[in-house]
Amino acid sequence: HQEAGWFNLFHTAAAFRQGNKTYSLEFKVAAPPSASSTVDAIVPHVNGTQLVWRNAARWCLTEGLLYGAGHWTKRLDVVAQVSPAQFQQVFEDVVLATNFTALDEAPRYNYFRILSSSSGENLLEDLTCGNGIVRILEALSAAGVSVDPYKIPISRLTLHAASVEEVDTTDAKQWAEVLGYFTTQRDLVKPGIPVEKQIEDLLALLPVRFVFDGNRERYLRVVR
């Protein structure tokens, strides 16, 4: 969304034109009605001693140019010419293969990745709108479509860490740490919280100590 442009973060989607019609394909958080997709993809709901995530990622195909031309203030590039057969193949192989109705199944949206501060190894994969469209373009290329690789910039948030350690969620002490950390996150975004309390909570959360790897159903401790 355009406000995210203040932080040099931009939304990515694909548009397909056939004749005088345009269809847009978007990979996004599939939030329940009335939920905040942006917040819920980052911060879980707390239900007693359980953490409930609403960060399922799904494909959405709509008629027309998504959000209108005015939304795409950074770039709006033609990257490939696709035949109907090629589009059908990619749609079946990528979109239909992962677009489950149940929102408690992977794939799950993840706004950031974690890289090793020493080796650059990817310790946690991100999965965002940009990754989704790159996957579509990779599939088109595999289907024989010539794709311009120099016109696919996407926004990525990167954290650096010495390592990550999987949390033993059956260990009461470890789980209490995780639960307390994410409870503070949820408190931070509750409406009506005084600014002083929000600042206090934000400082208590930094540097990032725990993350949820929804696509492997595990919690990770971030080691600096």
Side-chain angles (χ1 to χ4, degrees):
H1 299 280
Q2 292 188 19
E3 291 82 357
W6 300 339
F7 305 98
N8 204 32
L9 299 173
F10 297 93
H11 188 44
T12 305
F16 298 88
R17 176 172 292 175
Q18 184 176 32
N20 61 355
K21 286 192 173 184
T22 300
Y23 298 89
S24 298
L25 183 63
E26 181 186 26
F27 190 66
K28 59 185 290 186
V29 180
S34 77
S36 170
S37 60
T38 301
V39 172
D40 283 349
I42 304 173
V43 182
H45 289 263
V46 181
N47 182 13
T49 60
Q50 300 298 313
L51 297 175
V52 181
W53 292 87
R54 297 175 178 173
N55 59 347
R58 299 293 185 265
W59 296 97
C60 182
L61 182 68
T62 56
E63 186 172 351
L65 182 61
L66 189 67
Y67 306 127
H71 179 82
W72 308 102
T73 58
K74 192 68 175 177
R75 302 189 65 159
L76 187 59
D77 297 322
V78 176
V79 297
Q81 292 187 346
V82 184
S83 72
Q86 290 167 328
F87 176 83
Q88 182 70 26
Q89 178 183 338
V90 170
F91 194 83
E92 291 178 356
D93 292 347
V94 179
V95 177
L96 295 183
T98 57
N99 228 35
F100 306 112
T101 301
L103 297 184
D104 58 351
E105 297 183 36
R108 295 182 182 275
Y109 210 87
N110 185 24
Y111 275 100
F112 57 87
R113 61 179 175 170
I114 300 179
L115 298 183
S116 167
S117 51
S118 57
S119 67
E121 177 190 358
N122 206 336
L123 304 177
L124 174 66
E125 296 277 358
D126 53 353
L127 188 60
T128 66
C129 59
N131 301 100
I133 298 309
V134 168
R135 176 70 187 90
I136 289 292
L137 295 177
E138 289 174 344
L140 286 171
S141 180
V145 177
S146 177
V147 177
D148 187 339
Y150 301 103
K151 294 182 178 179
I152 317 173
I154 64 171
S155 299
R156 303 188 84 169
L157 287 173
T158 303
L159 299 180
H160 296 273
S163 62
V164 294
E165 299 173 349
E166 186 168 354
V167 174
D168 180 359
T169 57
T170 65
D171 182 282
K173 183 178 179 181
Q174 291 188 50
W175 181 244
E177 287 185 80
V178 173
L179 182 64
Y181 184 78
F182 284 106
T183 297
T184 302
Q185 278 194 5
R186 177 49 65 175
D187 289 343
L188 180 65
V189 298
K190 283 181 179 177
I193 300 297
V195 174
E196 296 82 1
K197 174 62 175 171
Q198 288 181 317
I199 294 174
E200 178 185 336
D201 286 345
L202 179 61
L203 292 176
L205 294 169
L206 298 175
V208 175
R209 297 195 296 281
F210 295 101
V211 296
F212 177 56
D213 180 1
N215 290 300
R216 296 181 64 180
E217 294 290 341
R218 60 180 184 163
Y219 287 88
L220 301 174
R221 184 189 302 274
V222 181
V223 179
R224 300 288 174 177

